Amino acid sequence: MDLELFERDRHVTFLQMMYQLLPSPYQSQEINRLTLAYFVISGLDLLNSLDRLVDKDAVATWVLSLQAHPRSTAELNNGQFYGFHGSRTAQFPPENNDNGALNPSVSNLASTYCALALLKIVGYNLSSIDSESILTSMRNLQQPDGSFMPIHTGAETDLRFVYCAAAICHMLGNWSGMDKEKAKEYILKCQSYDGGFGLIPGSESHGGATYCGVTSLCLMGFIEDEILSKNAPSSIIDVPLLLDWCLQRQAADGGFQGRPNKPSDTCYAFWIASVLKILGGHKFIDKKALHGFLLTCQSEYGGFSKFPGQLPDLYHSYYGLTAFSLLEEPGLNPLCVELGMTAIAAMGI
């Protein structure tokens, strides 16, 4: 294949195959089926092939069937989260494991973000869903320091789940599900001395964590889009240091790395470039070099791999497409970087 060209039709075929039947290596990811569906369907939307290949009503019906519902309004404050399950197996009744402990059936923040994103992408009106259960119970997941757990039974707390909570509230148009001020303070504590953001306060700066922190602040209205062009006298984050950290992540091969001294990886062309887009610093990206690196990760079968010369996977295929959308590749729909979907879907058109 000609490695100098973006092979749109091959990517459509790759995602169409994934939409119809996932290969056996994805069996271990069954619990994350909603997330895999998000990659496929949002990818087809970026490729402007959604209407032709996807049964939108069937997708909406399937997604809605995965929402957890309380038996009564009194249960909304029992500590459980009533969002969306990641798959059908996640809805199985709780059972005891070999140690006698209960393995509960739980919904989680990441699956709920993917579910709402999918519904927006296929054009479903989110005002029709039971948002009160989601938002009221989501408050149970926010911790005293402003961070969020992904599930009510306890787990790690970091910027990934703060982002999921912010995106959920934004998509539902209702911020009652979180304390924005507490979340803001937690995010600010995660900005490191070098300008990037770590997943938790005091941790190493990371491309994905930086995206989650900056985008959450943007969705919550604490920082403006393209702040570099607004001549803002001050910001709650150190913008010059953040800009410098992001620009230093573009490596000699043209790709973006997630951390210093790491190899370039397809997905960071989305995570880092999106932050630069929000800041208004995307004009400083060496777009020709980035375009060239991404093409080395483009598979002859369609899709993208993590590194050059490897087989494609859904995760990196999706973020490869988002990166090309940010590069304004012809034939791709514009991207809403804050929500990780097409701008048309984000606007509800």
Side-chain angles (χ1 to χ4, degrees):
M1 71 186 277
D2 187 346
L3 293 179
E4 294 183 358
L5 296 175
F6 174 77
E7 297 285 344
R8 179 188 175 279
D9 291 344
R10 291 177 189 259
H11 300 310
V12 171
T13 301
F14 175 81
L15 291 180
Q16 183 181 13
M17 177 187 71
M18 295 293 186
Y19 174 66
Q20 293 170 344
L21 182 67
L22 286 172
S24 59
Y26 287 94
Q27 286 179 339
S28 62
Q29 293 294 314
E30 201 284 330
I31 197 73
N32 298 316
R33 186 174 288 266
L34 251 181
T35 302
L36 298 176
Y38 159 72
F39 292 147
V40 171
I41 292 170
S42 190
L44 287 171
D45 195 23
L46 280 167
L47 289 161
N48 203 23
S49 298
L50 190 67
D51 293 335
R52 180 167 60 89
L53 299 176
V54 172
D55 185 336
K56 295 182 180 180
D57 291 338
V59 170
T61 299
W62 173 69
V63 172
L64 291 169
S65 73
L66 296 173
Q67 186 175 2
H69 295 282
R71 287 171 294 185
S72 67
T73 54
E75 287 191 338
L76 288 177
N77 293 307
N78 66 1
Q80 186 164 331
F81 175 51
Y82 295 100
F84 285 80
H85 297 276
S87 69
R88 189 68 65 217
T89 57
Q91 293 179 305
F92 289 172
E95 59 182 27
N96 290 327
N97 63 25
D98 294 338
N99 298 321
L102 192 65
N103 285 331
S105 170
V106 297
S107 58
N108 64 80
L109 277 179
S111 293
T112 302
Y113 158 72
C114 289
L116 297 180
L118 275 168
L119 290 172
K120 282 185 72 68
I121 291 165
V122 299
Y124 186 83
N125 187 348
L126 293 185
S127 65
S128 302
I129 72 169
D130 179 10
S131 60
E132 180 183 356
S133 294
I134 296 172
L135 295 168
T136 301
S137 63
M138 194 168 78
R139 290 198 293 266
N140 300 323
L141 302 181
Q142 190 167 20
Q143 303 304 293
D145 65 358
S147 64
F148 275 83
M149 295 189 301
I151 55 177
H152 74 274
T153 54
E156 68 270 32
T157 61
D158 59 53
L159 284 183
R160 292 173 297 173
F161 310 117
V162 174
Y163 169 75
C164 288
I168 288 166
C169 288
H170 180 86
M171 286 189 280
L172 292 175
N174 186 333
W175 290 92
S176 65
M178 65 187 297
D179 185 325
K180 291 200 297 183
E181 286 294 329
K182 281 188 175 181
K184 178 190 74 174
E185 292 306 316
Y186 180 80
I187 294 169
L188 296 181
K189 291 175 183 176
C190 292
Q191 187 169 26
S192 183
Y193 70 91
D194 58 6
F197 287 73
L199 282 172
I200 60 175
S203 64
E204 181 184 11
S205 296
H206 183 275
T210 300
Y211 170 86
C212 290
V214 173
T215 308
S216 296
L217 291 173
C218 187
L219 290 173
M220 290 188 288
F222 291 121
I223 60 174
E224 294 182 274
D225 270 335
E226 301 202 359
I227 192 170
L228 290 172
S229 64
K230 302 290 177 62
N231 295 317
S234 63
S235 175
I236 59 173
I237 59 175
D238 190 328
V239 174
L241 203 59
L242 172 59
L243 176 65
D244 183 62
W245 185 86
C246 288
L247 291 175
Q248 287 190 43
R249 300 286 68 76
Q250 187 165 21
D253 61 7
F256 278 92
Q257 58 184 192
R259 292 176 286 165
N261 302 314
K262 293 291 184 178
S264 297
D265 177 335
T266 296
C267 68
Y268 293 108
F270 168 76
W271 301 120
I272 303 289
S274 291
V275 174
L276 289 169
K277 177 78 171 177
I278 290 171
L279 296 178
H282 55 292
K283 57 181 174 288
F284 300 121
I285 296 174
D286 185 338
K287 295 182 175 63
K288 183 178 180 180
L290 178 58
H291 189 274
F293 170 79
L294 291 170
L295 287 180
T296 67
C297 298
Q298 180 177 241
S299 169
E300 61 182 311
Y301 309 108
F304 291 85
S305 57
K306 178 183 178 75
F307 301 128
Q310 297 185 349
L311 290 173
D313 64 83
L314 263 180
Y315 174 85
H316 290 93
S317 294
Y318 179 64
Y319 288 114
L321 293 174
T322 59
F324 269 104
S325 176
L326 285 170
L327 290 172
E328 300 180 342
E329 180 70 27
L332 289 180
N333 282 324
L335 181 71
C336 170
V337 297
E338 294 86 352
L339 293 177
M341 65 179 71
T342 62
I344 293 174
M347 290 186 290
I349 298 175

